[in-house]
Amino acid sequence: MSPDADLVFRALTMFGARDDEELAHELGLARKRVKVALDELTSWSAAGVAAGGRWRAAPAGTVLARLRQPTRPVRRRDIWRQHFRAMHGIDLPGPDDPTVRRLVSRAAARDRVQRLVAAERHEHLTINTEVISAAASAAALPLDRRQVERGVRVRVLQRPPTVDDHSLHHLAQLDTADPERVRELPDPPIKLLVYDRRIALFPVDPLNFEAGYVETADAVAVDQLCALFDRLWAQARRSGPGGRPAITLTPREQALVALLASGHTDASAAEELRLSLRTVAYTMRNLMDRLGVENRFQLAILLGASGTAPLPPVRRTQPAGPTEEEA
């Protein structure tokens, strides 16, 4: 085993069940390295996930006996097969299979995605493990709008979005009347795209998207990947206001947020509510601190996504400086 896998196995054996975050903290390793080590341990049946998402080590004697058996090394181009076999029990066709196509870079994958989306007619399935940047959102928005216009049923599994994740703003610009468009999982296991349940795309290396993607049209493999999506979908929670705790605002915060969202400046909102500019600035600063956001743009996205306030146009307003007046 690799040194990281050996270290993680010893930690699980000595100290008992841990999740990947606890292991990273206790061993002083990056969480990405812990996940790679756990993936390796799982491929040897040396560790598995117990109840509550915590990892447990298999008996050391059993693991040692298995490791001493001669095996064929896994080639770099087969890494996706090892991942799916180890983590999900899915045996995908190899790279020499005629139904498998290697997309050698992320740029090549993007070009292929555009063609597949244009040809899609019925259903699109996505498991997303990334934070959506503003640039990625802008590039994907025209494609997603055309899907909606054609009546393609879209289902997306993703992490609970953070304030720097543009997925919330992205979805707000689409037809989100369908409450079953998006569901959330704490830690989706693999990035996956499935087109009309006929073609699937996923990364060559689940932890390095720049290494390229794999496309498969093998009917059995695609059925297995769709079944994996359906299992995860059943475990996930609905995204949006029905799927996350509500944000509660005080009457003053509610009134102030409503005015600012409708286009008022700090000064005009202060005049409308008969408050000083200092009170407006303090109220907004306290609200941002309470919700854990750094600026008003992030606050607007968070409040809009939760249904607490309408999503305003993308614009930034500078907080007004304090005046000499007190509330």
Side-chain angles (χ1 to χ4, degrees):
M1 288 189 184
S2 67
D4 284 353
D6 178 74
L7 181 61
V8 169
F9 180 77
R10 291 173 185 271
L12 292 173
T13 300
M14 294 174 63
F15 305 120
R18 296 286 192 277
D19 61 30
D20 55 2
E21 187 174 359
E22 291 171 327
L23 286 166
H25 176 72
E26 294 172 0
L27 298 176
L29 295 177
R31 196 169 178 184
K32 180 177 179 179
R33 288 176 61 183
V34 170
K35 288 187 175 183
V36 172
L38 289 169
D39 202 0
E40 182 180 349
L41 291 171
T42 305
S43 70
W44 287 101
S45 299
V49 181
R54 295 164 71 82
W55 290 81
R56 292 185 181 277
T62 304
V63 175
L64 288 173
R66 190 176 295 115
L67 288 172
R68 287 171 180 148
Q69 297 174 0
T71 58
R72 180 180 65 84
V74 176
R75 294 172 295 180
R76 176 73 180 174
R77 64 178 188 161
D78 283 339
I79 192 169
W80 78 82
R81 302 186 70 209
Q82 180 193 45
H83 176 87
F84 278 102
R85 187 183 301 117
M87 301 301 292
H88 312 296
I90 298 175
D91 197 2
L92 298 180
D96 299 325
D97 190 284
T99 64
V100 173
R101 177 181 182 182
R102 171 77 186 275
L103 304 168
V104 296
S105 68
R106 200 167 190 179
R110 289 194 187 101
D111 292 341
R112 180 59 176 155
V113 163
Q114 290 187 10
R115 293 193 292 272
L116 290 171
V117 168
E120 205 166 24
R121 290 295 177 268
H122 306 292
E123 184 180 35
H124 181 83
L125 309 178
T126 295
I127 301 176
N128 183 43
T129 59
E130 296 182 277
V131 170
I132 303 299
S133 67
S137 173
L141 195 58
L143 295 174
D144 291 350
R145 280 177 172 156
R146 286 198 286 271
Q147 280 182 318
V148 171
E149 291 167 359
R150 291 199 307 271
V152 175
R153 186 192 183 199
V154 178
R155 290 193 289 164
V156 179
L157 275 169
Q158 63 178 23
R159 299 175 185 272
T162 57
V163 292
D164 57 345
D165 189 337
H166 282 71
S167 62
L168 294 175
H169 189 63
H170 182 93
L171 292 170
Q173 298 179 71
L174 298 172
D175 176 14
T176 55
D178 181 4
E180 287 297 290
R181 174 182 286 274
V182 181
R183 289 189 180 183
E184 295 173 2
L185 279 176
D187 195 10
I190 182 73
K191 186 175 178 69
L192 176 67
L193 304 168
V194 183
Y195 301 87
D196 284 334
R197 294 187 178 251
R198 295 186 305 105
I199 296 175
L201 261 68
F202 47 84
V204 169
D205 183 340
L207 296 174
N208 179 16
F209 297 158
E210 302 304 325
Y213 281 68
V214 175
E215 175 185 329
T216 181
D218 180 82
V220 174
V222 174
D223 283 348
Q224 289 180 309
L225 293 171
C226 289
L228 170 63
F229 179 93
D230 291 336
R231 287 197 303 272
L232 295 171
W233 183 264
Q235 299 167 13
R237 68 178 186 177
R238 182 179 296 179
S239 184
R244 58 171 60 90
I247 296 173
T248 303
L249 303 182
T250 67
R252 175 183 288 178
E253 290 170 344
Q254 184 71 59
L256 182 55
V257 165
L259 288 173
L260 294 176
S262 66
H264 276 267
T265 64
D266 281 15
S268 63
E271 183 177 356
E272 184 78 16
L273 297 175
R274 299 180 181 275
L275 301 172
S276 71
L277 281 173
R278 176 177 292 180
T279 299
V280 169
Y282 285 172
T283 300
M284 295 303 293
R285 183 69 262 169
N286 289 337
L287 178 58
M288 288 188 287
D289 289 344
R290 193 170 85 240
L291 297 181
V293 298
E294 296 179 359
N295 55 55
R296 294 195 184 186
F297 177 72
Q298 294 177 350
L299 178 66
I301 295 297
L302 184 61
L303 294 179
S306 68
T308 308
L311 271 171
V314 179
R315 53 184 273 182
R316 297 178 185 268
T317 57
Q318 296 296 326
T323 68
E324 293 298 322
E325 299 177 13
E326 294 291 341

